[in-house]
Amino acid sequence: MEIIKTAKDMQAHAEKTRMQGKTIVFVPTMGFLHEGHLSLLREGSRHGDHLVLSIFVNPTQFAAGEDFESYPRDFEKDAAAAQKEGVDVIFAPEKANLYDDDFETYVSLEKLPNHLCGLSRPTHFRGVATIVTKLFNIVKPHAAVFGEKDYQQLAIIRRMTRDLNFDIRIIGVPIVREPDGLAMSSRNTYLAPEQRQAALSLYRSLSEAQNMVKTGETRATRLIEEARRTISAFPENSIDYVTVCDPDTLEDVALIDRPVLMALAVRVGKCRLIDNMVLHPAG
Ligand code: AMP
């Protein structure tokens, strides 16, 4: 496994790999790897013969006051896990290598960011779309793998890839959960034991909504009310949003007569958690 630190070296490596006729599959992450990331690597290795993992905590997707500085990092542990999964290259640049002091070019979408997480994190998806564009230009992948855990991010990357004609296949991977249902996240490490119990209410409320829909509930407002009740039963929880929306446009949906996305974001103590589920109506 090779560790590459600069964009220039990564581009040269990608070019050489392509010349050898190999298919590059790319898994971008911010590191502190868990089973969710590993499932992306495993899925990725089925779609090509050269697996590149990036580890980069991207400053432009964090707003002032968010957890950029304190975001958990453990490169040695990540490298060992990556090697075990058969990663060929870890691309791990320094911030200064990707962002010059006079950096001023951003990629932003018109509509998809105006929902869900974009409402409370108005500059987040501009940062995500920009870094993913840069990484696509540096890693030159044939395919790239993203988790459905960050549903809106995946939707934005699919749209951006289509709109900007990136010749890259985007592969989505289902959410990997702890045995008790909590969606795996690098940020779960922030949770104290009682907060972890409170955090279980995210998955519980999604599962309850799925049951309600299966047994004939068609009103989004009822699902949202119930989820809010389940989550608010824990004093350490503070709801950012609970939304039922169209899985493609992310526009709110009132009547559930087709599959819909239920998505939520909750602050548990200082830790902001997100989760989602596509709900399928009865029949
Ligand atoms: P992050 O390191 O949090 O930026 O995540 C890197 C990639 O891993 C993104 O595509 C995430 O959607 C994906 N990911 C994170 N957590 C999970 C999870 N629990 N299940 C599946 N994919 C995940």
Side-chain angles (χ1 to χ4, degrees), residues 52-111:
V52 179
L53 164 72
S54 68
I55 296 180
F56 180 63
V57 183
N58 173 43
T60 63
Q61 70 193 66
F62 290 79
E66 292 186 347
D67 58 346
F68 172 70
E69 297 297 343
S70 60
Y71 195 85
R73 294 160 167 92
D74 188 343
F75 186 79
E76 295 310 318
K77 191 157 170 260
D78 287 350
Q83 181 136 38
K84 228 169 130 195
E85 294 301 330
V87 167
D88 294 288
V89 171
I90 299 181
F91 177 51
E94 296 295 329
K95 175 178 147 192
N97 184 253
L98 290 197
Y99 293 106
D100 289 325
D101 287 341
D102 57 353
F103 182 88
E104 61 169 318
T105 307
Y106 290 89
V107 177
S108 54
L109 288 81
E110 295 286 323
K111 289 191 197 147

Side-chain angles (χ1 to χ4, degrees), residues 109-262:
L109 288 81
E110 295 286 323
K111 289 191 197 147
L112 281 175
N114 303 334
H115 304 279
L116 310 180
C117 292
L119 296 177
S120 57
R121 305 184 77 192
T123 58
H124 174 67
F125 289 112
R126 177 181 94 139
V128 168
T130 302
I131 188 63
V132 172
T133 297
K134 285 166 69 66
L135 291 170
F136 281 177
N137 284 328
I138 294 166
V139 175
K140 305 176 193 262
H142 297 82
V145 190
F146 296 85
E148 290 171 3
K149 156 99 188 322
D150 299 271
Y151 190 101
Q152 187 174 17
Q153 168 174 283
L154 175 57
I156 282 172
I157 288 162
R158 284 192 195 285
R159 187 66 50 86
M160 174 187 97
T161 299
R162 188 201 68 186
D163 287 353
L164 299 184
N165 302 90
F166 284 112
D167 191 10
I168 297 171
R169 184 162 159 228
I170 305 300
I171 299 160
V173 170
I175 299 176
V176 176
R177 298 178 180 282
E178 301 285 358
D180 58 13
L182 180 66
M184 289 199 182
S185 164
S186 306
R187 291 188 168 102
N188 290 350
T189 178
Y190 298 146
L191 297 170
E194 70 280 5
Q195 293 176 331
R196 199 167 173 313
Q197 285 306 309
L200 288 179
S201 62
L202 278 76
Y203 178 63
R204 195 174 312 133
S205 60
L206 292 169
S207 305
E208 281 167 5
Q210 175 64 90
N211 285 336
M212 288 169 73
V213 166
K214 277 240 156 70
T215 52
E217 181 58 68
T218 57
R219 293 163 297 177
T221 48
R222 287 285 305 121
L223 305 184
I224 294 169
E225 275 165 25
E226 277 307 314
R228 284 187 163 271
R229 203 193 321 268
T230 301
I231 295 165
S232 305
F234 295 86
E236 48 274 86
N237 287 348
S238 151
I239 295 173
D240 179 353
Y241 64 80
V242 177
T243 303
V244 175
C245 63
D246 181 281
D248 295 321
T249 63
L250 308 182
E251 305 273 359
D252 285 353
V253 164
L255 178 71
I256 301 156
D257 55 359
R258 61 201 152 94
V260 293
L261 177 74
M262 185 161 185

